[in-house]
């Protein structure tokens, strides 16, 4: 159908890959939990457009170029590692003083959440490898309209991602409302998220 060689295998693989914890889903969840539902959906929008850009890059052959020139891939990898480390360190250093509360208000702006999520998505090596290695395997090269195959695969992955991220946002915003007055819990959450992002960055730099 539409030049897709094995639709059900692709759908299963896509679901499993998206459900695997990563920087994108973690950022969307914590944004919804600490900044609210509106900021969470803005972050999900950033992930959506970041993945769309990576899909277009795969279709245009940028993925093949990065595979042929490992230095280019390493450059993206180290850039991503540095960005994740920066986010993690900022979360670790955050506190709940009045000054930080003012900064938090700024970060709660949906535009800020969108930009941050877009940046994380564009340098997310998990997503890059998905579109570079997994994505093209299900396209029949003899199909006369290959662009339709890529478009159909892209719609599927975006729909699955949308459902998953929406679930995380609703869960995160519910937790935010329930524990809105517990200051120590927000501090603990910041430390936990900071530690996870630092570990993502170090693992990405060292692997």
């Amino acid at each position: 159908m539409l030049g897709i060689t094995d639709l059900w295998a692709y759908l299963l693989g896509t679901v499993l890959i998206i459900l695997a914890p990563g920087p994108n889903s973690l950022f969307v969840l914590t944004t919804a939990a600490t900044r609210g539902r509106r900021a969470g959906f803005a972050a999900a929008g950033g992930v959506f457009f970041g993945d769309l850009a990576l899909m277009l890059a795969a279709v245009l052959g940028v993925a093949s170029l990065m595979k042929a020139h490992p230095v280019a891939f390493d450059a993206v990898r180290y850039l991503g590692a540095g960005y994740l480390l920066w986010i993690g360190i900022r979360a670790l250093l955050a506190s709940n003083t009045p000054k930080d509360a003012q900064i938090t208000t700024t970060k709660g702006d949906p535009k800020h959440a969108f930009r941050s999520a877009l940046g994380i998505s564009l340098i997310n090596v998990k997503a890059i490898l998905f579109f570079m290695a997994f994505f093209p395997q299900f396209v029949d090269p003899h199909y006369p309209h290959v662009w339709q195959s890529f478009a159909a695969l892209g719609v599927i992955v975006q729909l699955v991602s949308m459902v998953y991220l929406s679930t995380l946002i609703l869960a995160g915003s519910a937790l935010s409302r329930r524990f809105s007055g517990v200051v120590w819990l927000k501090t603990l959450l910041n430390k936990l998220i900071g530690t996870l992002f630092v570990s993502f960055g170090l693992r990405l730099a060292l692997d």
Side-chain angles (χ1 to χ4, degrees):
M1 184 177 67
L2 293 177
I4 300 174
T5 57
D6 195 338
L7 178 60
W8 292 111
Y10 172 76
L11 182 59
L12 177 61
T14 298
V15 170
L16 292 176
I17 290 172
I18 288 177
L19 289 179
N24 284 358
S25 57
L26 182 61
F27 183 79
V28 170
L29 175 61
T30 54
T31 298
T34 57
R35 317 294 181 216
R37 185 181 300 181
R38 186 181 176 194
F41 278 110
V47 172
F48 179 88
F49 280 100
D51 285 349
L52 180 61
L54 292 178
M55 277 187 273
L56 291 175
V59 173
L60 294 174
V62 176
S64 300
L65 180 65
M66 292 180 68
K67 184 182 291 187
H69 300 280
V71 174
F73 181 76
D74 283 340
V76 175
R77 183 164 64 92
Y78 288 123
L79 178 64
Y83 189 58
L84 293 176
L85 285 169
W86 178 72
I87 292 176
I89 291 171
R90 285 177 66 92
L92 285 171
L93 296 177
S95 63
N96 288 294
T97 63
K99 180 179 178 180
D100 288 324
Q102 184 177 2
I103 296 174
T104 297
T105 302
T106 302
K107 288 186 176 181
D109 177 45
K111 292 181 180 179
H112 183 277
F114 177 87
R115 290 193 299 268
S116 298
L118 178 62
I120 293 173
S121 181
L122 289 174
I123 49 83
N124 183 4
V125 172
K126 171 187 163 185
I128 293 173
L129 290 175
F130 174 82
F131 294 116
M132 185 168 65
F134 182 77
F135 200 61
Q137 292 182 31
F138 298 90
V139 176
D140 181 2
H142 302 293
Y143 187 68
H145 306 291
V146 176
W147 67 270
Q148 293 181 358
S149 305
F150 278 104
L153 293 174
V155 168
I156 291 171
V157 70
Q158 293 288 44
L159 286 175
V160 173
S161 179
M162 188 182 303
V163 171
Y164 178 56
L165 293 180
S166 296
T167 303
L168 293 180
I169 291 167
L170 295 177
S173 60
L175 289 173
S176 177
R177 290 193 300 271
R178 184 169 182 177
F179 299 105
S180 58
V182 186
V183 177
W184 68 266
L185 189 59
K186 289 185 177 181
T187 302
L188 179 62
L189 182 61
N190 276 335
K191 304 305 180 187
L192 176 61
I193 297 309
T195 302
L196 288 173
F197 268 95
V198 168
S199 68
F200 280 138
L202 290 176
R203 186 175 64 182
L204 182 57
L206 298 176
D207 282 348

